[in-house]
Amino acid sequence: MPRPEEASTSKSVSPLPEPPATFKSLGLIDPLLEALDRVGYKKPTDIQLQSLPHALEGRDIIGIAATGSGKTAAFALPILQKLWEEPKGLFACVLAPTRELAYQISEQFEALGSAMGVRCAVIIGGMDMPTQQIALAKRPHIVIGTPGRLLDHLETTKGFSLRTLKFLVLDEADRLLNMEFSEAIDKILKLLPKERSTYLFSATMTTKVAKLQRASLTNPLKVEVSSKYSTVDTLLQYYVLMPFIDKHAYFIYLVHTLAQNSIIVFARTKAEAQMLSIILRILGFAAVPIHGDMSQSQRLGALSKFKSGSRKILVATDVASRGLDIPSVDIVINYDVPQHSKDYIHRVGRTARAGRSGKSITLVSQYDVELLLRIEEVVGKKMDMFETEAEDIAALKERVEEAARAAKSEMKDADANGKGKKRRRDDGRGGKDDRDRDDDVVEAGMPLVKKKSKHRR
């Protein structure tokens, strides 16, 4: 028998757990670490953990990750680190499917690259070409754009080319291809140097994305954080079952009940989003719309008001369901049940981001039950019923119907005025450039309803 002290020394000692990875341990330089601290990024997300070390080594990356996973920093950080080492001219080009996403990517590059004075140029439709040509002449380090407008500049702007490019990023690649930018992207790829690093980020790996990968990447490393669509655990998901005829009344009841929160409301069509925003304003709620029939300045203005808190409600089409990072969204209301379950996941992904909690509430009429069941099957979770008060909703009906009639009248007048102005402006130049469908939008110019209801909420 061994002595007690001998027995104790013979026990195996468990190894100490490895410390959690940090941005520093991933190999980032001090200027970037300081910038990350300033913008409040405390620890790497899964997509950043898996992609950054390889991107810093010079590998091409395919990143498959859901919305809100930190993809922008995953490709911006290795680009900025290389730019610090070789600060030469036009360095990187990022292609994005929507104008809002392009602006958001630019903001993140400028925030993370503040210590090195990084210069970005956003090249999108809906803005005048000469102003963009001036921005390109100032030799930006990073160009972020939508494919159609970027190709316009490559073909017509003297002195602008991508021949010295070191990095190409295709962000939200599945959306880029679904929006039929394929032809413009093919032409852009032919104008790029073969010796470059390429990052392709997408929420899904479709056959089109796989084809694009083969055409543009060299021996890429595939990083897949989420292989299936899902919602985060911190999101509380509810539904409201109601008769279709009372949909407006139920909607206003929800907004009134949740009025102290920041809310994004998703509608299926541009007209519906505009209509809901007018109804809300008539009834005294601080709401602003965002949809494809608004000019670029109107859309940016709407986002700015919502982000700053001067408007508590953003009424949007699916133009805002992906890519936009609005940190302080408490609640998502699906006024219309989305036709596709993936769209539901992108919509509710606007809340409960980066570990925060949030709620989603979906209005379900007798015609939407099958869609709701399909969504529940895809996300693998049953939604709870949101408690409503039938008497309160009945009391709202008359006021809400009156507001809806006023909103319809206002939209009809605005549409007639808009068509008259368009006829006077028309000089026979023709329609949109098909390469840039999302960019070239007609300004709706719908005035706000000034008349407020005398009834109190």
Side-chain angles (χ1 to χ4, degrees), residues 3 21 36 93 136 145 263 327 371:
R3 291 197 299 270
L36 285 163
C93 176
L136 291 172
I263 303 171
L371 289 173

Side-chain angles (χ1 to χ4, degrees), residues 76-338:
L77 289 168
I79 291 172
L80 290 169
Q81 180 138 324
K82 194 68 176 175
L83 177 63
W84 180 268
E85 298 167 4
E86 302 176 24
K88 296 177 183 176
L90 179 55
F91 203 75
C93 176
V94 183
L95 295 179
T98 66
R99 297 171 292 177
E100 285 77 18
L101 181 56
Y103 273 107
Q104 183 174 292
I105 292 168
S106 174
E107 289 171 0
Q108 192 140 12
F109 264 104
E110 288 173 351
L112 294 174
S114 56
M116 59 185 74
V118 67
R119 297 188 305 276
C120 297
V122 178
I123 306 300
I124 57 172
M127 306 295 279
D128 67 285
M129 293 275 286
T131 301
Q132 294 176 350
Q133 287 167 341
I134 292 169
L136 291 172
K138 292 180 179 177
R139 297 176 61 81
H141 301 111
I142 317 289
V143 169
I144 304 108
T146 46
R149 179 53 64 91
L150 183 68
L151 183 59
D152 284 343
H153 281 285
L154 287 168
E155 291 177 343
T156 63
T157 298
K158 290 183 180 180
F160 173 60
S161 78
L162 300 176
R163 287 194 299 269
T164 62
L165 199 74
K166 303 293 186 208
F167 288 89
L168 172 68
V169 181
L170 298 148
D171 194 20
E172 301 277 5
D174 51 344
R175 289 191 75 196
L176 277 172
L177 299 174
N178 286 340
M179 294 171 73
E180 300 179 26
F181 285 131
S182 307
E183 184 182 344
I185 291 171
D186 287 343
K187 290 181 178 179
I188 291 169
L189 289 175
K190 291 174 183 175
L191 300 173
L192 299 178
K194 291 184 178 179
E195 292 296 320
R196 66 171 193 268
S197 296
T198 305
Y199 304 146
L200 187 154
F201 282 82
S202 180
T204 56
M205 194 66 185
T206 64
T207 52
K208 286 183 178 179
V209 173
K211 182 181 176 183
L212 179 62
Q213 166 209 328
R214 290 192 294 272
S216 58
L217 281 76
T218 304
N219 188 26
L221 176 78
K222 186 176 178 182
V223 176
E224 190 163 2
V225 169
S226 178
S227 58
K228 70 181 186 70
Y229 276 83
S230 62
T231 53
V232 296
D233 293 334
T234 53
L235 174 68
L236 302 175
Q237 300 175 69
Y238 299 94
Y239 70 94
V240 172
L241 196 60
M242 42 90 208
F244 180 79
I245 195 170
D246 294 332
K247 193 171 185 178
H248 279 145
Y250 272 82
F251 169 64
I252 295 300
Y253 169 83
L254 283 178
V255 172
H256 177 69
T257 304
L258 305 164
Q260 300 307 310
N261 298 278
S262 62
I263 303 171
I264 295 185
V265 179
F266 281 105
R268 187 171 295 143
T269 66
K270 294 175 282 190
E272 203 161 47
Q274 187 72 27
M275 171 115 170
L276 291 176
S277 68
I278 295 174
I279 291 172
L280 287 167
R281 286 183 181 128
I282 292 173
L283 296 173
F285 296 97
V288 66
I290 180 170
H291 53 70
D293 276 352
M294 295 167 66
S295 70
Q296 181 58 35
S297 59
Q298 285 176 322
R299 285 160 72 167
L300 290 174
L303 279 175
S304 177
K305 288 174 183 175
F306 184 66
K307 284 183 176 181
S308 69
S310 66
R311 298 291 186 274
K312 299 291 286 185
I313 305 167
L314 181 70
V315 187
T317 57
D318 282 312
V319 73
S321 69
R322 283 177 65 175
L324 296 184
D325 185 16
I326 307 171
S328 57
V329 179
D330 301 315
I331 295 166
V332 166
I333 295 177
N334 288 303
Y335 179 80
D336 294 307
V337 184

